[in-house]
Amino acid sequence: MNKRKQLIDAAYKVFVKKGYLNASIKDIANEAMMTPGLVHYYFKNKEELLLSVQEEVQTNYHRQYDGQTQEMPSLKSTLNEIKSRAHENPDWYRWRYEIYSLGIKDAEGNLEQQVRTVLKDGRDSISRPMESILGDTKEASSLASVLLACFDGLALQRIVDPEFDIDQSYEVLHKMLELYLNKEKG
């Protein structure tokens, strides 16, 4: 693995664990088993490293869906796959919340733009299949924004409260969606 990628991976772990504001270049260097000077060789500052981590996270997320068929999976299997992320990769959601928080507070707008991109990509990935079902781009986009909020919110509840019954919540969400989609078809 090249050193730049190794630093990005280490920064991801440190940012998820400590948060961006509490993480230091030294922490990241230690996680990567490198010197702080080497971090500065590859990245001019911590924000550039943060943006590189975000780019890597987005690229990896989209890569997992490359080459999949265009055939629409069932609603139930799609919801189960999304729900599984909170169980199998809670750090992915922790990263999202860290970026959201930083973007909201960003006075210069660099991170705010990253958050806009994350949210837009999420809405787009949901709205495309919904558009084929609903036949209405605007409605599909609106439904996608509601679903994205549900997915992020349910994952947050699961991460901070291990007793939270995410399975039951997804069952209710599935029933609500089926009712909504059947109403729209008929």
Side-chain angles (χ1 to χ4, degrees), residues 22-86:
N22 293 324
S24 69
I25 293 294
K26 184 178 179 183
D27 294 330
I28 295 163
N30 287 342
E31 179 69 30
M33 295 187 288
M34 294 181 195
T35 65
L38 202 51
V39 177
H40 288 293
Y41 175 79
Y42 286 98
F43 303 95
K44 69 179 177 186
N45 56 35
K46 194 166 77 166
E47 184 174 319
E48 183 182 327
L49 183 52
L50 176 81
L51 294 172
S52 295
V53 170
Q54 175 55 25
E55 183 179 316
E56 180 77 12
V57 167
Q58 285 297 107
T59 300
N60 287 341
Y61 177 73
H62 291 294
R63 190 178 298 134
Q64 75 185 12
Y65 295 103
D66 285 350
Q68 289 190 357
T69 65
Q70 293 296 340
E71 186 178 314
M72 177 96 158
S74 74
L75 179 60
K76 182 79 167 174
S77 66
T78 301
L79 290 174
N80 282 336
E81 190 273 326
I82 293 167
K83 176 182 67 172
S84 73
R85 295 177 200 160

Side-chain angles (χ1 to χ4, degrees), residues 36-151:
L38 202 51
V39 177
H40 288 293
Y41 175 79
Y42 286 98
F43 303 95
K44 69 179 177 186
N45 56 35
K46 194 166 77 166
E47 184 174 319
E48 183 182 327
L49 183 52
L50 176 81
L51 294 172
S52 295
V53 170
Q54 175 55 25
E55 183 179 316
E56 180 77 12
V57 167
Q58 285 297 107
T59 300
N60 287 341
Y61 177 73
H62 291 294
R63 190 178 298 134
Q64 75 185 12
Y65 295 103
D66 285 350
Q68 289 190 357
T69 65
Q70 293 296 340
E71 186 178 314
M72 177 96 158
S74 74
L75 179 60
K76 182 79 167 174
S77 66
T78 301
L79 290 174
N80 282 336
E81 190 273 326
I82 293 167
K83 176 182 67 172
S84 73
R85 295 177 200 160
H87 291 291
E88 295 169 11
N89 194 2
D91 284 349
W92 185 81
Y93 277 106
R94 286 184 181 98
W95 173 257
R96 285 175 70 87
Y97 306 136
E98 182 69 14
I99 286 291
Y100 291 168
S101 175
L102 293 167
I104 289 169
K105 299 171 194 167
D106 181 34
E108 295 171 17
N110 296 333
L111 297 175
E112 186 177 321
Q113 179 56 46
Q114 291 294 315
V115 171
R116 265 195 301 271
T117 300
V118 167
L119 292 171
K120 183 180 182 321
D121 287 350
R123 286 191 308 270
D124 288 350
S125 71
I126 297 167
S127 69
R128 279 190 288 283
M130 288 296 152
E131 191 174 329
S132 66
I133 294 169
L134 298 171
D136 181 326
T137 303
K138 189 171 183 174
E139 187 172 351
S141 180
S142 296
L143 179 57
S145 66
V146 170
L147 290 173
L148 183 61
C150 287
F151 302 152

Side-chain angles (χ1 to χ4, degrees), residues 83 86-87 97 150-173:
K83 176 182 67 172
H87 291 291
Y97 306 136
C150 287
F151 302 152
D152 282 345
L154 291 170
L156 175 63
Q157 291 179 71
R158 174 68 176 107
I159 289 168
V160 299
D161 181 4
E163 302 298 315
F164 173 69
D165 190 352
I166 195 170
D167 295 323
Q168 181 60 36
S169 296
Y170 266 88
E171 283 296 321
V172 169
L173 179 59

